[in-house]
Amino acid sequence: MKLSKQEVEALNDLSALLSFKRTKIIERFLKCPSKLIGIYTGNQFGKTAVAAYSYVLRVMGLHPVPTKNVDFPQCEPCDLKWSFATYPKDNKCPKCGNTLTVFMNSVRVIRFASETLPGQSANEKTGGLEVKNTQYPEFRKWLPPSTMKKDITARSPSITLRALLSGGPDITIEFVSYGQSTQSTAGTQRFSVWEDEEAPLAFHEEQLPRLLAADGDLLITLTAANRNSWNYDEVFERADEYIRSETICKKFNLPEHDKKSDRVNISVFQAATDDNPTLRPD
């Protein structure tokens, strides 16, 4: 079968995204609708890659949970929602036959927060070790080039993206660091916030009001190598459900899915280094 030039270009554009390896625990994370998700893993599990990949899906409208996409097709009368990967191809609601409309969120800024900004080296707080921002390169790794409209600059640590599938307004990914003052990262609403490793409690608490208007969500990715402070009490202990990889279940004799409440707003995912699909077992 011979592909057209346009089809070849489209495949090249999506080649990185299509190469992502999705395991059972990753699939369960992608399908989780919780408003607060904590991913607690061993070193080199690939939690940053998993989170970055999920945000690429969200800005493209391809995330399995429709409401986690910035824009998504819907049938408003029937209250049915889809992602652009699963919506009816005839653009008709299978229940009532109405033509689908595209919901475009008015809040179109996603915040990526970590110890350092892209391109910034470690400061005195890290003991002089070289700690670089990993969110930016991982996000760019999976992002189709056609969605990029404007990259980060020294003055503006944010990315502007095209909403290609929905035709909606541009989407912004802003990068902030835990070293910035809490007040400097306050202000307007955010569609979603991703905290990579443990943030200071004051910083974390400031993110929650930012999500109210968009009914947004918060993702925390953490390698629990050191003693946790507020994260254990505020997230891990308060979780409504725990989803664990097979490695964790076998090692600690725990169930794969441990649900404490039917009203799931906080979900915790646990995985080990061994669960990284790109690493050899030995």
Side-chain angles (χ1 to χ4, degrees):
M1 181 175 131
K2 188 175 180 180
L3 298 176
S4 67
K5 182 181 178 181
Q6 289 78 11
E7 289 173 326
V8 171
E9 289 175 350
L11 285 174
N12 288 336
D13 191 52
L14 295 170
S15 59
L17 194 66
L18 295 174
S19 70
F20 188 88
K21 294 183 178 180
R22 291 162 65 152
T23 62
K24 184 178 180 180
I25 189 77
I26 293 173
E27 288 284 358
R28 296 195 70 170
F29 159 66
L30 291 173
K31 294 175 181 176
C32 179
S34 294
K35 290 297 184 183
L36 200 166
I37 297 178
I39 302 180
Y40 299 91
T41 73
N43 273 312
Q44 297 302 312
F45 162 72
K47 66 184 187 312
T48 307
V50 171
Y53 171 77
S54 74
Y55 276 104
V56 170
L57 296 181
R58 296 178 68 166
V59 299
M60 295 187 69
L62 301 175
H63 195 279
V65 180
T67 53
K68 289 204 171 185
N69 294 301
V70 181
D71 304 324
F72 54 85
Q74 66 170 357
C75 175
E76 199 167 357
C78 297
D79 194 28
L80 294 177
K81 305 172 179 67
W82 295 266
S83 80
F84 282 100
T86 60
Y87 80 109
K89 298 311 174 187
D90 61 359
N91 206 37
K92 300 288 186 181
C93 175
K95 186 175 181 181
C96 69
N98 283 336
T99 300
L100 305 183
T101 59
V102 176
F103 175 82
M104 297 183 186
N105 207 297
S106 59
V107 180
R108 308 183 72 79
V109 181
I110 296 173
R111 174 173 288 175
F112 287 4
S114 65
E115 186 68 34
T116 58
L117 292 171
Q120 180 182 1
S121 299
N123 56 29
E124 295 178 0
K125 292 181 181 179
T126 61
L129 297 174
E130 188 70 11
V131 179
K132 294 183 178 179
N133 180 286
T134 56
Q135 292 172 307
Y136 173 75
E138 277 296 340
F139 184 74
R140 285 298 312 272
K141 178 180 178 180
W142 307 110
L143 184 72
S146 62
T147 62
M148 174 67 76
K149 185 173 182 179
K150 185 180 179 183
D151 207 347
I152 61 171
T153 64
R155 286 189 170 187
S156 176
S158 62
I159 296 174
T160 304
L161 303 171
R162 300 180 181 90
L164 294 178
L165 295 179
S166 69
D170 294 341
I171 300 167
T172 300
I173 306 291
E174 67 166 7
F175 295 86
V176 301
S177 76
Y178 302 146
Q180 295 174 252
S181 68
T182 303
Q183 191 59 39
S184 69
T185 59
T188 56
Q189 297 292 318
R190 299 292 178 263
F191 178 72
S192 180
V193 175
W194 170 19
E195 296 175 4
D196 190 34
E197 302 302 342
E198 189 168 72
L201 179 58
F203 181 96
H204 169 74
E205 289 178 335
E206 172 54 34
Q207 307 315 301
L208 304 179
R210 308 278 71 80
L211 298 168
L212 291 177
D215 192 24
D217 64 285
L218 192 144
L219 173 64
I220 298 172
T221 51
L222 176 64
T223 301
N226 303 311
R227 183 185 294 272
N228 296 323
S229 54
W230 63 266
N231 219 293
Y232 181 79
D233 296 323
E234 295 295 320
V235 180
F236 192 87
E237 281 287 278
R238 292 177 56 209
D240 303 300
E241 68 172 354
Y242 301 85
I243 297 103
R244 306 177 179 98
S245 69
E246 292 181 9
T247 305
I248 296 292
C249 294
K250 290 178 182 178
K251 176 67 177 178
F252 299 103
N253 194 28
L254 292 168
E256 189 175 321
H257 186 201
D258 193 356
K259 193 173 180 182
K260 296 181 354 186
S261 169
D262 290 332
R263 187 173 179 270
V264 178
N265 283 321
I266 303 178
S267 295
V268 162
F269 287 78
Q270 294 176 277
T273 304
D274 312 55
D275 295 305
N276 187 328
T278 65
L279 298 179
R280 286 170 43 182
D282 57 348

